[in-house]
């Protein structure tokens, strides 16, 4: 390829606009397969020159044309679109100009490098540092921003993005994920048009209930699992977020990601620095599947607590008892857990409160002492009884919340987020504690740590958060109310930091009435999350499909429950695609169901390493057909687990053979259906046979032999032959 042709190619592929050739300074952030390149213009501003596939010869970076898109646009100057940062100086000037000062790149190890670009206003003592951390093997880039005030007076920062990225393509296709309580992660794709599209949250605590802070952005044409050029992005923030997509008059797209500036102007005194959360993204030229695998690998290595360690299977008591139980009944349920063969028994809501017993959701929240009527011997007794039966014991908490009918509310009415001169607004009969108040934060910390200290055998916590913020006002912040949404989240992180200093590896589930908190800002403190209170397995197929785009299987808690009318096999097969657990009345199971469940738990223990740590290939989407097919393949390509779910299939509907993915074409694999009901035989025509990886990926398997039956499933184990 001639240099002229290559120059034209680079201008198109990397989204460049050819300006007058200049030998400007380049700043290169690169992973194994991705290039993000900036240039410093003659005006000392920094411009994004390229975001795309990394060149085979990195010397080709010198041929990338300059670009007109400023890397981090500041408000109040000549740019007419949405800025990444906007502030008001101490003298009232509402403008900011950011000029390049310097940049540094340091390698933490052979996989991680961090590039920091220092920008400075030439007239005012305000500095902005753009941080870019590149994870080479995972093809992940994290970007975040520091804003430092060195002016004599206070500045007011009204926009403070974590990231600004620019694209030039013919068309742009956005895939977003939205929903509500018990209907999380609905996938929706649309073509972006001229103007602005925003995805945001203003819910405070349960920030992700309506919109989830993740997206795919495909360039030129829609992307599928295996084809298409796209960016996958997510914000590591457990609070209000905003993704801003704006197509300008020349069809260029800018994407701004960060904390939602709604009601959140942030004041910085002299010498103070504000650090934004990280925007985490990956780029793929081979579709959504590769982008997901990049994110999964990064999450296990860097984004989730103990992401490369095994998880616990458990039995939860919620569906068996709700809040109506006693000590003897709970100890009896331990036998159900041992029958199933799980690792842990989890005691859910209802165990606390004495003056105001937690006998329903109207009272007791905030009074974290054992209810003496229900648990006369306390939590410690249950821990010992569980251990005597070979089980670990875990407990439910909702430490950020309070019922008005509680001792905590009576003693500390000034600890509550609520508007003065307005009626209190309740969701689930509760209010939110003011974590911006250091006394409240300390109380929440000691609620958790004192319980763990008193009961050293506690092995698991389910941390819940069942309402969003409304009618919100902080007695502690007084005239700094615009800091509330941000400082609440930062305070929550400080509490979790303190807990993790004492208990660095305690498994904790992140729950928010289901999927109200699903982000990598929180997951560095948690081992898993509860994706939805809707555990109907038909609905969970769609919910788990959605989450699997951005989160690895070992983080997605998936329980077998009594929701839905499907068979125990279908319910179990769906739950096995994530981190398996049970929340069901074992005493109501038939002998066959119990026998199946015991064997299924053993099967899961055998297959879990492949599911948790393997590469996920989503083969057939439930949005495309009345079935879903996905498989996990281990790193050595010696073992795979395939899940096939027939959904609400139609009479005489026909499904084609399924071509597998991710195998080694040279290896021989034995195909065996597992997780069968007692006495049942596999309907898989190829069951027990050996095929080459090439055959399985070219011809595939017939997963629907014979009559097509709705709401049925297969789990197929695929093992390489020696």
């Amino acid at each position: 390829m001639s240099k002229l042709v290559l120059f034209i190619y680079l201008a198109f592929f990397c989204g460049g606009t050819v300006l007058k050739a200049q030998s400007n300074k380049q700043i290169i952030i690169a992973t194994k397969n991705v290039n993000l390149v900036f240039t410093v213009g003659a005006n000392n501003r920094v411009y994004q020159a390229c975001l795309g596939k990394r060149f085979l010869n990195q010397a080709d970076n010198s041929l990338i044309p300059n670009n007109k898109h400023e890397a981090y646009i500041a408000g109040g100057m000549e740019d007419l679109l949405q800025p990444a940062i906007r502030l008001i100086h101490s003298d009232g000037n509402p403008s900011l100009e950011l000029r390049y000062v310097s940049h540094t790149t340091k390698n933490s190890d052979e996989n991680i490098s961090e590039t920091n670009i220092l920008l400075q206003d030439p007239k005012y003592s305000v500095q902005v540092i753009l941080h870019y951390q590149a994870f080479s093997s995972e093809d992940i880039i994290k970007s975040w921003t520091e804003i430092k005030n060195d002016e004599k007076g206070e500045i007011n920062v009204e926009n403070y993005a974590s990231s600004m990225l620019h694209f030039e393509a013919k068309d742009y296709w956005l895939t977003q994920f939205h929903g509500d309580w018990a209907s999380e992660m609905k996938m929706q794709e649309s073509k972006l048009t001229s103007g602005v599209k925003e995805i945001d949250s203003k819910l405070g605590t349960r920030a992700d209930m309506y919109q989830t802070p993740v997206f795919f952005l495909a360039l030129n044409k829609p992307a599928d699992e295996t084809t298409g050029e796209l960016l996958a992005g997510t914000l590591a923030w457990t609070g209000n977020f905003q993704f801003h997509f704006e197509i300008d008059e020349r069809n260029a797209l800018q994407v701004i990601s960060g904390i939602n500036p709604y009601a959140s102007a942030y004041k910085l005194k002299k010498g103070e620095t504000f650090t934004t959360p990280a925007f985490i993204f990956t780029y793929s030229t081979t579709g959504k599947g590769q982008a997901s695998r990049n994110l999964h690998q990064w999450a296990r290595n860097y984004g989730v607590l103990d992401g490369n360690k095994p998880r616990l299977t458990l039995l939860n008591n919620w569906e068996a008892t709700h809040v109506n139980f006693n000590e003897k009944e709970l100890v009896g349920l331990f036998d159900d857990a041992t029958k199933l063969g799980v690792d842990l028994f989890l005691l859910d809501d209802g165990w606390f409160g004495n003056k105001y017993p937690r006998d329903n959701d109207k009272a007791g929240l905030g009074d974290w002492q054992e209810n003496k009527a229900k648990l006369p011997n306390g939590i410690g007794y249950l821990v010992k009884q569980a251990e005597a039966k070979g089980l670990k014991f875990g407990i439910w908490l909702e430490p950020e919340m309070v019922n008005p009918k509680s001792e905590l509310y009576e003693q500390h009415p000034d600890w509550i987020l609520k508007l003065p001169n307005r009626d209190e607004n309740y969701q689930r009969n509760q209010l939110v504690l003011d974590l911006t108040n250091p006394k409240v934060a300390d109380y929440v910390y000691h609620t958790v740590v004192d319980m763990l200290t008193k009961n050293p055998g506690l092995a698991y916590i389910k941390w819940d958060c069942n309402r969003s913020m409304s009618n919100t006002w902080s007695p502690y912040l007084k005239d700094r109310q615009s800091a509330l949404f941000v400082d609440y989240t930062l305070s929550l992180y400080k509490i979790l930091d303190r807990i993790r200093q004492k208990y660095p590896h305690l498994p904790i589930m992140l729950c928010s009435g289901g999927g109200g908190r699903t982000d990598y800002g929180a997951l560095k403190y948690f081992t898993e999350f509860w994706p939805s209170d809707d555990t109907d397995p038909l609905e969970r197929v769609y919910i788990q499909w959605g989450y699997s785009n951005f989160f690895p299987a070992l983080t997605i808690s998936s329980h077998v429950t009594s929701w839905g009318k499907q068979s125990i096999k279908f319910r179990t097969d769906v739950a096995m695609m994530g981190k398996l657990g049970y929340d069901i009345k074992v005493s109501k199971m038939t002998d066959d169901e119990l026998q199946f469940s015991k064997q299924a738990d053993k099967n899961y223990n055998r297959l879990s390493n492949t599911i948790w740590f393997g590469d996920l290939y989503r083969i057939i989407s439930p949005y495309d057909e009345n079935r879903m097919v996905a498989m996990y393949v281990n790193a050595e390509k010696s073992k795979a687990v395939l899940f096939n779910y027939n959904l609400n299939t139609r009479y005489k509907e026909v499904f084609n053979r399924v071509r597998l993915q991710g195998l080694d074409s040279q290896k021989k694999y034995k195909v065996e259906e597992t997780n069968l009901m007692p006495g049942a035989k596999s309907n898989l025509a190829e069951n027990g046979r050996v095929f080459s990886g090439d055959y399985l990926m070219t011809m595939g398997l017939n997963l629907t032999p014979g009559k097509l039956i709705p709401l049925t499933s297969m789990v197929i184990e695929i093992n390489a032959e020696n």
Side-chain angles (χ1 to χ4, degrees), residues 373-565:
K374 294 179 182 179
L375 305 179
N377 294 298
I379 297 297
Y381 171 78
L382 294 176
V383 171
K384 291 178 181 178
Q385 290 297 308
E387 290 175 343
K389 296 187 177 183
L391 292 169
K392 298 179 184 294
F393 185 85
I395 200 161
W396 178 94
L397 288 171
E398 194 175 4
E400 301 164 65
M401 303 289 162
V402 62
N403 286 127
K405 194 174 181 180
S406 68
E407 292 182 80
L408 180 64
Y409 183 91
E410 291 177 343
Q411 295 166 6
H412 298 286
D414 58 323
W415 282 13
I416 317 299
L417 292 176
K418 58 179 182 177
L419 285 167
N421 304 317
R422 301 287 186 189
D423 293 338
E424 292 178 348
N425 177 258
Y426 305 131
Q427 296 173 17
R428 203 172 180 254
N429 305 300
Q430 63 194 59
L431 295 163
V432 183
L433 291 174
D434 184 3
L435 297 197
T436 69
N437 184 335
K439 292 181 180 178
V440 180
D442 203 50
Y443 166 80
V444 172
Y445 166 77
H446 282 291
T447 292
V448 179
V449 169
D450 291 354
M451 176 179 292
L452 291 168
T453 303
K454 180 182 176 182
N455 304 288
L458 273 175
Y460 186 94
I461 288 175
K462 179 181 178 182
W463 184 302
D464 214 337
C465 171
N466 277 300
R467 68 154 293 168
S468 56
M469 290 183 184
S470 60
N471 298 48
T472 304
W473 191 86
S474 164
Y476 175 76
L477 290 176
K478 298 182 175 61
D479 61 348
R480 294 188 65 251
Q481 295 301 315
S482 68
L484 174 55
F485 287 122
V486 173
D487 282 356
Y488 184 97
T489 304
L490 294 177
S491 180
L492 174 63
Y493 290 162
K494 289 177 183 177
I495 294 166
L496 293 168
D497 271 325
R498 292 175 67 192
I499 292 170
R500 283 305 179 195
Q501 287 171 15
K502 287 187 69 71
Y503 301 95
H505 301 291
L506 177 76
I508 307 181
M509 178 199 289
L510 174 62
C511 182
S512 188
R517 283 178 167 172
T518 47
D519 66 88
Y520 284 115
L523 278 173
K524 67 181 179 181
Y525 303 107
F526 293 84
T527 48
E528 59 226 56
F529 66 89
W530 183 237
S532 179
D533 281 345
D534 187 344
T535 54
D536 181 301
L538 174 62
E539 299 298 331
R540 271 300 183 107
V541 166
Y542 292 89
I543 291 168
Q544 292 171 192
W545 176 276
Y547 281 116
S548 76
N549 285 279
F550 295 89
F551 302 98
L554 83 170
T555 66
I556 304 171
S557 296
S558 308
H559 292 182
V560 181
T561 76
S562 58
W563 276 45
K565 303 298 182 183

Side-chain angles (χ1 to χ4, degrees), residues 344-384:
L344 178 136
F345 181 88
L346 173 61
L347 174 58
D348 213 294
D349 194 359
W351 57 268
F352 51 90
N354 287 297
K355 181 178 180 180
Y356 300 105
R358 184 68 167 180
D359 295 330
N360 51 54
D361 67 4
K362 295 179 174 62
L365 202 61
D367 300 342
W368 300 107
Q369 70 272 155
E370 297 99 326
N371 180 278
K372 294 177 182 178
K374 294 179 182 179
L375 305 179
N377 294 298
I379 297 297
Y381 171 78
L382 294 176
V383 171
K384 291 178 181 178

Side-chain angles (χ1 to χ4, degrees), residues 610-629:
T610 303
I611 297 168
W612 293 341
F613 309 121
D615 286 329
L616 171 62
Y617 294 86
R618 293 182 298 267
I619 301 174
I620 296 176
S621 167
Y623 288 89
D624 296 334
E625 298 186 18
N626 281 325
R627 63 171 169 171
M628 175 193 152
V629 183

Side-chain angles (χ1 to χ4, degrees), residues 165-205:
L165 296 173
H166 301 274
F167 304 89
E168 290 188 0
K170 180 178 179 292
D171 294 305
Y172 309 95
W173 294 83
L174 177 68
T175 304
Q176 65 188 93
F177 298 82
H178 68 100
D180 195 356
W181 176 81
S183 61
E184 291 87 347
M185 285 303 277
K186 294 178 179 178
M187 187 169 68
Q188 186 175 33
E189 187 172 49
S190 59
K191 183 178 179 179
L192 292 177
T193 58
S194 180
V196 173
K197 162 85 173 184
E198 285 188 346
I199 302 171
D200 74 349
S201 164
K202 304 179 184 71
L203 304 179
T205 41

Side-chain angles (χ1 to χ4, degrees), residues 45 70 72-79 81-87 94-98 121 164:
R45 293 192 188 179
E70 195 168 353
Y72 197 76
I73 296 173
M77 300 293 286
E78 69 280 358
D79 197 287
L81 301 182
Q82 180 78 5
I85 182 171
R86 186 166 66 93
L87 57 80
S95 66
L96 182 68
E97 182 182 4
L98 295 176
D121 190 304
M164 172 177 269

Side-chain angles (χ1 to χ4, degrees), residues 1-11 18 63:
M1 183 183 293
S2 71
K3 287 192 175 182
L4 176 60
V5 173
L6 180 59
F7 185 78
I8 296 171
Y9 166 77
L10 292 172
V18 179
L63 300 174

Side-chain angles (χ1 to χ4, degrees), residues 87-337:
L87 57 80
I88 300 173
H89 296 280
S90 55
D91 66 359
N93 191 320
S95 66
L96 182 68
E97 182 182 4
L98 295 176
R99 292 187 183 179
Y100 172 84
V101 176
S102 64
H103 75 277
T104 60
T105 298
K106 294 182 179 179
N107 295 319
S108 304
D109 55 38
E110 62 183 13
N111 190 52
I112 304 174
S113 65
E114 184 176 322
T115 298
N116 301 323
I117 305 172
L118 175 60
L119 308 175
Q120 169 81 51
D121 190 304
K123 302 292 185 181
Y124 290 88
S125 296
V126 174
Q127 291 184 339
V128 171
I129 304 174
L130 306 181
H131 296 267
Y132 299 92
Q133 194 172 42
F135 299 82
S136 182
S137 296
E138 296 83 6
D139 282 327
I140 293 291
I141 298 175
K142 281 176 62 176
S143 65
W144 70 97
T145 305
E146 282 185 280
I147 304 161
K148 184 176 182 181
N149 176 28
D150 279 329
E151 294 184 18
K152 293 180 180 179
E154 187 175 71
I155 66 173
N156 197 47
V157 188
E158 299 191 346
N159 293 71
Y160 34 88
S162 300
S163 165
M164 172 177 269
L165 296 173
H166 301 274
F167 304 89
E168 290 188 0
K170 180 178 179 292
D171 294 305
Y172 309 95
W173 294 83
L174 177 68
T175 304
Q176 65 188 93
F177 298 82
H178 68 100
D180 195 356
W181 176 81
S183 61
E184 291 87 347
M185 285 303 277
K186 294 178 179 178
M187 187 169 68
Q188 186 175 33
E189 187 172 49
S190 59
K191 183 178 179 179
L192 292 177
T193 58
S194 180
V196 173
K197 162 85 173 184
E198 285 188 346
I199 302 171
D200 74 349
S201 164
K202 304 179 184 71
L203 304 179
T205 41
R206 295 198 64 202
D208 306 350
M209 184 167 63
Y210 298 146
Q211 302 288 340
T212 304
V214 298
F215 67 86
F216 288 121
L217 176 69
L219 306 179
N220 297 307
K221 61 181 181 180
D224 58 25
E225 286 295 318
T226 56
T227 64
E229 180 186 0
L230 79 151
L231 183 100
T234 181
L235 188 71
W237 181 246
T238 318
N240 295 343
F241 65 89
Q242 183 183 87
F243 298 136
H244 177 98
F245 305 87
E246 185 167 8
I247 296 178
D248 68 15
E249 75 285 355
R250 299 181 63 85
N251 202 48
L253 171 67
Q254 67 177 30
V255 180
I256 303 174
S257 306
I259 295 172
N260 193 341
Y262 167 78
S264 296
Y266 209 83
K267 299 181 187 299
L268 291 180
K269 297 177 182 177
K270 177 178 172 57
E272 289 186 336
T273 298
F274 182 81
T275 304
T276 73
F279 177 64
I280 301 158
F281 64 95
T282 187
Y283 167 88
S284 166
T285 58
T286 53
K288 297 174 181 175
Q290 186 58 55
S292 295
R293 289 187 287 276
N294 292 347
L295 286 163
H296 295 173
Q297 185 181 1
W298 172 85
R300 290 191 296 264
N301 291 336
Y302 304 103
V304 179
L305 183 69
D306 291 336
N308 286 303
K309 293 184 179 179
R311 296 317 197 228
L312 299 169
T313 56
L314 60 84
L315 173 65
N316 194 347
N317 71 298
W318 181 250
E319 287 206 7
T321 67
H322 294 279
V323 297
N324 303 310
F325 53 80
N326 57 43
E327 190 174 81
K328 182 178 179 181
E329 186 177 7
L330 290 178
V331 172
L333 292 177
F334 295 168
D335 291 328
D336 291 342

